[in-house]
Amino acid sequence: MPRKRWPLNTSKHESVAVIGLGYIGLPTASILASRGLSVLGVDVVPHVVDTVSRGDVHIVEPELDAIVKAAVTSGRLKAVLKPQPADVFIITVPTPFFADRSPDLSYVEAAALSIAPVLKKGNLVILESTCPVGSTEQIAELIAKARPDLKIPKRAQEIPSDIFMAYCPERVLPGKIIRELVENDRVIGGLTRACAERAKKLYQVFVNGECVLTDCRTAELCKLSENSFRDVNIAFANELSLICDRLGVDAWELISLANRHPRVKILNPGPGVGGHCIAVDPWFIVSSAPQEAKLIRTAREVNDYKPHHVVGKVLEQLNQLAVGSKVACLGLSFKADIDDLRESPSVEIVHELAQRIEGRSLLVVEPHITALPPALEKDCPNVKLVSLEDAFLDAELLVLLVDHKVFRLVSKETLEGKRIIDTRGIWSATSRSKQV
Ligand code: SAJ
């Protein structure tokens, strides 16, 4: 039975402005609205604001459409282009990195500056975007400069301030966002203890997990450490798969055997690591502590190398096939059963492969999209988005890049006679024995 805690001193009538209606902001805004709060969803992209205003969603995430529809219909969620006064502001905008892999905080800074004019005494400002250590303090300084009339809190200085500020990283898994938003524990790092306690009251409105308080620097590094931990562990699996290719061993059989040891739990190798989180966040640690973060950097490099290794395997196979024979890549998203192509190793593989197959056409199957992403559309005229059926009809070589459910359901008979490069190890052992 999930615990339900309505905190005594957080009013259900409090108003919240969520800045950035993406994969985290929109679910957070609609869940807050579903708990009775009055929520303003703010986004600079007119298409996003129009879509949400109609009660629709612009991203694919299980259960999200129903929650957004209900929130908008009830009148508790409104989408707008610019912030308006509210009691609480939650910043959920992206933090990409520059070409040198140092973090780009420009969206977070722009969000902070956009709320500064409407801030008033007693407001709570929460930063949820993944950020390098020290960002919450930097954002507080930025707001302090924009609003010299307000007393902004300073880290670890427990003196009264006019607003409260905290860092509370999102840690939900794409594909399970709605469930994890409610069930996961939250780490809440205040600029001061009073800030953390104020933020906790807000999260307790919808979080059934525990809300654990700390300071903002620890919370910032905690988020980066979680994703780096996963990246390092996936890199171990990916490195093993490279070693297996070199030594002629089936990586998935090896891993399933090793995992029978009670203290071994090796993750799954794949075509590389994608998404806007695990493929990005470890670099924020590397850029803050380059001398110390050796393992974290190496893991990133191992995972970033994997797509090129896959391309090499495909080219090797293609060289053995008759001229004119076709190859189909199955899956473009960064992981199974979602439409998110951000930092996707599959897109990188298709892009590189298309450039290197000289005049041959490359078939791509991605059931979650209706058009190729701009990078492929622009640079790769030989790439064609086709149905799974057409790919099976036309291609001699199948390159399985994403373990979508629809690909898992493919029968052994359908695979008969095809050459297969299965980067996810999802097809049966019998098919795998034919794998190259
Ligand atoms: N992957 C593998 N092998 C595995 C597991 C994953 O190759 O065994 C690949 C996936 O195919 C994908 C990438 O890693 O390309 C990342 O996928 P993921 O499912 O591990 O994680 P994300 O990026 O969808 O979400 C992560 C989560 N972080 C952790 O599990 C520590 C999530 O909880 C975070 O909230 C999210 O990053 C985020 O927003 O930071």
Side-chain angles (χ1 to χ4, degrees):
M1 200 45 192
R3 283 167 291 161
K4 200 172 227 182
R5 292 181 256 146
W6 298 107
L8 292 175
N9 41 2
T10 291
S11 162
K12 276 181 75 181
H13 303 293
E14 203 161 45
S15 63
V16 182
V18 178
I19 318 298
L21 292 178
Y23 284 88
I24 302 303
L26 185 55
T28 305
S30 48
I31 285 220
L32 280 164
S34 77
R35 298 299 194 264
L37 277 72
S38 158
V39 184
L40 201 64
V42 184
D43 205 289
V44 290
V45 180
H47 164 71
V48 171
V49 170
D50 292 345
T51 309
V52 175
S53 297
R54 287 196 309 270
D56 292 332
V57 292
H58 61 102
I59 45 182
V60 174
E61 175 62 34
E63 298 173 53
L64 181 64
D65 46 355
I67 299 187
V68 169
K69 174 78 69 197
V72 172
T73 311
S74 71
R76 289 197 208 97
L77 173 61
K78 290 195 168 58
V80 290
L81 285 163
K82 280 195 174 149
Q84 295 167 16
D87 300 312
V88 181
F89 294 86
I90 303 179
I91 298 176
T92 50
V93 295
T95 39
F97 55 52
F98 292 114
D100 69 353
R101 285 157 174 157
S102 62
D104 173 1
L105 286 182
S106 57
Y107 295 102
V108 174
E109 288 165 359
L113 289 175
S114 76
I115 63 172
V118 294
L119 281 179
K120 50 188 177 9
K121 278 188 184 180
N123 277 173
L124 165 66
V125 178
I126 297 169
L127 180 57
E128 283 202 11
S129 310
T130 304
C131 284
V133 175
S135 302
T136 313
E137 291 150 86
Q138 273 176 40
I139 295 306
E141 276 169 32
L142 203 65
I143 293 177
K145 276 199 192 117
R147 289 296 302 272
D149 56 311
L150 287 176
K151 199 184 282 171
I152 307 296
K154 282 206 159 63
R155 178 171 167 257
Q157 291 184 17
E158 302 293 332
I159 42 175
S161 57
D162 289 336
I163 65 163
F164 300 89
M165 270 195 79
Y167 181 73
C168 180
E170 60 80 14
R171 44 199 346 210
V172 290
L173 195 71
K176 294 185 183 160
I177 290 181
I178 300 300
R179 200 178 80 205
E180 292 206 354
L181 259 183
V182 174
E183 287 179 4
N184 290 1
D185 292 349
R186 295 298 291 238
V187 174
I188 302 174
L191 271 173
T192 63
R193 186 77 188 175
C195 291
E197 272 160 9
R198 173 68 183 88
K200 179 176 178 176
K201 286 181 187 133
L202 190 265
Y203 284 101
Q204 282 182 319
V205 168
F206 66 95
V207 172
N208 285 337
E210 212 176 312
C211 293
V212 189
L213 305 192
T214 182
D215 69 287
C216 50
R217 286 189 157 235
T218 309
E220 287 160 347
L221 189 55
C222 183
K223 167 69 192 185
L224 301 176
S225 306
E226 289 161 14
N227 280 352
S228 300
F229 172 85
R230 192 143 169 92
D231 198 43
V232 167
N233 281 280
I234 299 170
F236 181 77
N238 276 335
E239 186 164 294
L240 272 183
S241 75
L242 299 178
I243 294 167
C244 284
D245 279 355
R246 161 88 50 202
L247 303 180
V249 171
D250 181 314
W252 286 277
E253 187 188 357
L254 169 85
I255 289 169
S256 75
L257 293 174
N259 281 348
R260 286 170 178 263
H261 185 287
R263 282 174 298 284
V264 174
K265 182 77 193 82
I266 303 170
L267 294 180
N268 297 310
V273 168
H276 194 61
C277 310
I278 297 191
V280 177
D281 302 354
W283 289 119
F284 292 5
I285 297 186
V286 175
S287 104
S288 301
Q291 297 300 321
E292 293 79 10
K294 295 189 179 72
L295 181 61
I296 294 173
R297 175 201 294 273
T298 304
R300 270 290 66 245
E301 287 166 356
V302 168
N303 287 333
D304 274 354
Y305 169 69
K306 196 68 200 289
H308 308 296
H309 177 76
V310 174
V311 169
K313 285 176 80 165
V314 178
L315 292 175
E316 210 177 285
Q317 281 304 304
L318 266 181
N319 284 339
Q320 296 169 19
L321 288 170
V323 184
S325 48
K326 286 192 179 142
V327 50
C329 290
L330 307 191
L332 275 186
S333 61
F334 85 84
K335 65 176 192 175
D337 304 321
I338 57 170
D339 69 335
D340 192 342
L341 307 186
R342 289 179 298 175
E343 312 290 331
S344 174
S346 313
V347 175
E348 197 181 343
I349 288 166
V350 169
H351 192 273
E352 188 179 335
L353 208 49
Q355 318 282 317
R356 296 183 61 184
I357 57 174
E358 291 167 5
R360 290 192 205 225
S361 63
L362 181 56
L363 309 179
V364 169
V365 181
E366 177 44 79
H368 299 90
I369 60 172
T370 50
L372 287 169
L376 297 180
E377 193 74 77
K378 189 167 127 274
D379 302 344
C380 314
N382 54 340
V383 173
K384 263 208 299 193
L385 189 64
V386 299
S387 68
L388 188 55
E389 293 71 26
D390 285 350
F392 282 130
L393 277 178
D394 286 354
E396 282 80 22
L397 175 59
L398 301 174
V399 187
L400 190 288
L401 296 174
V402 184
D403 46 340
H404 288 315
K405 197 169 169 210
V406 60
F407 300 154
R408 284 179 183 276
L409 296 174
V410 169
S411 68
K412 277 183 205 163
E413 295 72 48
T414 317
L415 298 175
E416 210 114 290
K418 302 283 183 198
R419 288 190 180 230
I420 295 164
I421 296 179
D422 177 1
T423 69
R424 299 278 182 176
I426 62 166
W427 283 330
S428 70
T430 346
S431 318
R432 273 218 306 275
S433 62
K434 276 197 256 139
Q435 196 182 310
V436 283

